[in-house]
Amino acid sequence: MRTRIRHTVPLFLAMTMLVVGAGTLTGCDSEENGGSNRSGAAEASQPRAREVAAAWDGSQAAKAWSRGYHPMDEHVQPPENGLRGKADRRAFETRSFMLRGELPAVSPGVGTVTWERGGSLKAPLTGAREAYASLDRTSGPGPHLTVTRAEPGVMTLATHRGPATVPAWLFTLEGYDTPLKQAAVAPSRLSEPPIAPAPQTSSRNLTPLRRLVDMSADGRSVTVQADHGACDDGPRVTVLETSGSVVLSASVAGVDDGPCTGRLDGEKLTVRLDRPMGDRVLLDAFTGRPVPYGEPGGPSPSWR
């Protein structure tokens, strides 16, 4: 299934911004609703994909990635039974909160991320006041959710290494029996990638990818967002799988050379893999970097 998301940034400018900010980019799909497409114009992307895979497989960057904490899930979770009413849902979406009460001031120190499949990681924790400040992103009139207290706890998140139990702050919301949860551990920083972004002069039809939206529970498919212009046939992607990585190569099909609006559309597409993702790293062929979860600069990026 494809989902369209409209932006107002010209395609050329948006692609340039993504290349400059290559630290916050992400992945795409294989033809239409999945399955690896390795024919036609897609063949042009395979040499670059092989270069990226060869640079990453067995590299120090790949080893650091596998040892780090890279969430592929929202680090803020609403109360267990969801939010009641349109006003509360709107407040959550816009991150509009009001504090009524005191938050713990003590520094929480270090916590442990524990993976369901084994392994753990020690990481510094975010304080309750810092966590609340990052949670409350909207000021002014409009609906809001009221926080009355916070206490330490845990939450479960999907990560690049499968489900993990993560230290969290549990915020009590006025009118709710269960708390809102926010991860108290920041994602690991990305090591210096072993390959530079593709030069624009030699990248052929390759384009940078926007973001990872979701990964299936069995690891056999990933849903991603790719951008394209208003006067083309939409984004396409090829998939190159190796034992250590999965490289996605995005391009735009049917580009019209005539006059066109500056509108930028985004599409959510699903990529189906030949085998489960496992511990392999998901890479963008254009940028040569891992595909992060979440919008660049948004509340839940998978790396910083």
Side-chain angles (χ1 to χ4, degrees), residues 15 51 58 64 81 87 93 98-99 134 171 190 200 221 225 241 257 290 299:
M15 294 305 181
E51 289 177 3
N81 295 321
E93 291 169 0
M98 176 181 292
L99 178 61
S134 68
F171 290 102
L190 179 67
Q200 288 185 320
S221 66
Q225 183 181 336
E241 298 188 42
D257 293 330

Side-chain angles (χ1 to χ4, degrees), residues 62-73 113-122 157-165 188 212 215 217 219 277-282 302:
K63 293 175 183 177
W65 174 267
S66 67
R67 292 192 297 263
Y69 163 60
H70 304 286
M72 302 295 178
D73 205 350
V113 176
T114 304
W115 277 274
E116 188 178 281
R117 287 185 276 174
S120 62
L121 174 70
K122 297 288 186 181
L157 293 176
T159 77
H160 70 302
R161 293 168 60 182
T165 299
S188 299
L212 173 64
M215 185 178 296
M277 189 73 203
D279 293 331
R280 296 181 293 174
V281 58
L282 184 67
S302 62

Side-chain angles (χ1 to χ4, degrees), residues 273-287:
L273 306 178
D274 292 335
R275 61 183 186 276
M277 189 73 203
D279 293 331
R280 296 181 293 174
V281 58
L282 184 67
L283 300 166
D284 177 354
F286 189 99
T287 66

Side-chain angles (χ1 to χ4, degrees), residues 285-297:
F286 189 99
T287 66
R289 291 170 175 262
V291 177
Y293 177 87
E295 289 282 8

Side-chain angles (χ1 to χ4, degrees), residues 176-200:
Y176 287 86
D177 296 329
T178 58
L180 175 146
K181 300 178 181 180
Q182 180 175 2
V185 179
S188 299
R189 292 188 179 277
L190 179 67
S191 299
E192 184 65 28
I195 187 170
Q200 288 185 320

